[in-house]
Amino acid sequence: MQIEESKISEIADDMEKNDIDIAIIGPEMPLVLGITDELEKKGIEVFGPNKKAAQIEGSKFFARNLMAKYNIKGNIPYKKIEKKEDIEGALRNWKGPFVIKPIGLTSGKGVKVWGDHFTTYNEAIKYGYEIFDGRIGGSEGFIIENKVEGEEFTLQAAVDGKNLSFFPLVQDHKRLLEGDRGVNTGGMGSYSFSDGKLPFVKENHYKEAVEIMKETINALEKEGIKYKGILYGSFMETPTGPFLIEYNCRFGDPEGINTLNSIKTDFIDIVKYTIQGKLNELNIQFNNVSTVCKYIVPKGYGVNPVSNKPLQIDEEIYKISNLKIYMASVNEINGVIHTTTSRAIALLGTGNTIDEAEKVCQKGIEHIKGEIYYRKDIGTTELINKRISHMEKLNNK
């Protein structure tokens, strides 16, 4: 039985009917709508924040305001635009390059950045109107933020209301095209290192990011909100420290693929200890592996994607060591996998080094044919060195 993810009452009724004991919620939409609250009313334990806590992703304004109220480091100067008549004045009077973010959910595709997605005030103003007219991210409008320059990284943690247990750092690649060009997507791929860190993130800055997330959970508690589940922090590494780009109330996609495949501890134990508020009693361990994930998408994805195209998957792919294959937005028709308009298949390679993991992932991709596209550069030495060089230049300015 298929139920739309927004039909949270129907989902809760179906889970109760099927005697579900524990629910692990993956996507953000049902969390923001309050699926946790609905399930807990029925006595079902949930690994995922309740509706109030999920505002941390559901409203970018809520997240920024919370950080400002409690003077949490890593916040970015921002302003909320609630009326169409305020758009032009607010954008033209903003000092320096800025970012436009719809306040609500946009599946990671609503953010537009000065210099990347628009280069004139007129283009920015046009997008501001599109947000209101198209109800992008809901009907609350958008926020303007200062643009910060650096390298993005993702820090995810299990949270039991008070305690946080952190997972390895990951870097996602939202831009469609190689060399970080093109439109934003839901994520074209990601990688993590065997030591759990990233070579362009300073150790003291990593610790600052950890503290920012801990202080955020403390701030929510002071607001009477107990956060349980996964907290995802997207940060920008800069010479002066990490800045929070946004919070998600669940595992990242694709970053969750990297971290879940790095965990040595039984994941169900993590779920149970989180729900029980006892994460401080569990020592979560990780395998010392590097991971590289790449998404296969239909041609034209992010702009004008083709759909319902068959994929030829060579059976030899399943014999490749250290490769995992995750079907995403696909349909099976007469025994053949077909694309939709969204991301089709995620492939994850693991190895002792990033180079090994990338080669495994790439080898797997070569066994899939069709009207598809993927980013070859994710996890390559060339791209990672580019990240390191970029931060070195910024640090030496």
Side-chain angles (χ1 to χ4, degrees), residues 99-323:
V99 178
I100 295 175
K101 294 183 177 181
I103 287 172
L105 300 177
T106 61
S107 301
K109 302 168 190 172
V111 176
K112 295 206 174 183
V113 181
W114 183 280
D116 293 333
H117 305 103
F118 53 82
T119 56
T120 67
Y121 285 107
N122 286 341
E123 289 173 332
I125 291 165
K126 180 184 176 185
Y127 182 53
Y129 279 107
E130 287 174 5
I131 291 172
F132 278 91
D133 294 338
R135 295 177 62 82
I136 299 174
S139 58
E140 289 187 77
F142 62 90
I143 59 174
I144 315 169
E145 294 180 359
N146 279 354
K147 177 183 176 180
V148 290
E149 188 177 359
E151 286 294 334
E152 287 193 49
F153 67 90
T154 299
L155 179 58
Q156 300 165 102
V159 186
D160 69 1
K162 184 178 288 289
N163 305 293
L164 291 85
S165 292
F166 291 90
F167 302 138
L169 292 182
V170 187
Q171 185 174 55
D172 180 24
H173 299 71
K174 286 203 174 297
R175 302 299 283 276
L176 175 66
L177 305 176
E178 292 177 13
D180 300 315
R181 298 173 295 109
V183 299
N184 276 345
T185 70
M188 293 298 294
S190 47
Y191 62 83
S192 67
F193 278 75
S194 59
D195 64 356
K197 302 296 176 62
L198 290 169
F200 49 81
V201 178
K202 293 179 179 178
E203 181 63 24
N204 61 320
H205 290 177
Y206 165 75
K207 291 178 180 177
E208 281 184 32
V210 165
E211 285 304 311
I212 288 167
M213 289 177 65
K214 286 181 177 178
E215 288 180 26
T216 299
I217 294 303
N218 290 337
L220 286 170
E221 190 175 29
K222 290 173 184 175
E223 294 288 309
I225 300 172
K226 188 173 284 290
Y227 192 106
K228 286 190 176 185
I230 294 297
L231 181 64
Y232 162 123
S234 175
F235 290 91
M236 185 73 81
E237 168 74 345
T238 77
T240 59
F243 285 90
L244 182 86
I245 302 301
E246 65 178 3
Y247 276 127
N248 290 164
C249 60
R250 37 73 191 185
F251 275 116
D253 178 8
E255 300 101 318
I257 297 174
N258 302 86
T259 51
L260 286 168
N261 279 286
S262 300
I263 295 171
K264 190 174 184 179
T265 302
D266 190 327
F267 182 65
I268 293 300
D269 285 340
I270 297 173
V271 170
K272 289 179 178 178
Y273 277 77
T274 297
I275 291 171
Q276 294 166 7
K278 297 180 179 179
L279 270 178
N280 59 315
E281 298 177 16
L282 181 67
N283 178 26
I284 300 178
Q285 296 184 322
F286 298 91
N287 295 307
N288 294 323
V289 294
S290 296
T291 68
V292 173
C293 176
K294 299 186 187 186
Y295 255 113
I296 287 175
V297 302
K299 277 188 177 178
Y301 170 68
V303 183
N304 185 26
V306 299
S307 65
N308 201 33
K309 300 296 181 181
L311 295 174
Q312 292 83 49
I313 303 175
D314 184 346
E315 291 296 316
E316 292 297 311
I317 193 172
Y318 301 108
K319 299 177 183 178
I320 299 173
S321 298
N322 301 320
L323 177 72

Side-chain angles (χ1 to χ4, degrees), residues 312-368:
Q312 292 83 49
I313 303 175
D314 184 346
E315 291 296 316
E316 292 297 311
I317 193 172
Y318 301 108
K319 299 177 183 178
I320 299 173
S321 298
N322 301 320
L323 177 72
K324 291 193 176 180
I325 303 153
Y326 297 94
M327 296 295 172
S329 186
V330 294
N331 294 316
E332 186 177 352
I333 304 172
N334 297 324
V336 177
I337 300 297
H338 286 66
T339 62
T340 64
T341 58
S342 191
R343 293 176 295 172
I345 303 176
L347 285 87
L348 181 89
T350 60
N352 293 321
T353 65
I354 288 286
D355 187 54
E356 284 181 17
E358 193 277 330
K359 282 181 168 58
V360 169
C361 187
Q362 192 63 35
K363 186 177 180 181
I365 289 174
E366 291 167 4
H367 289 273
I368 301 175

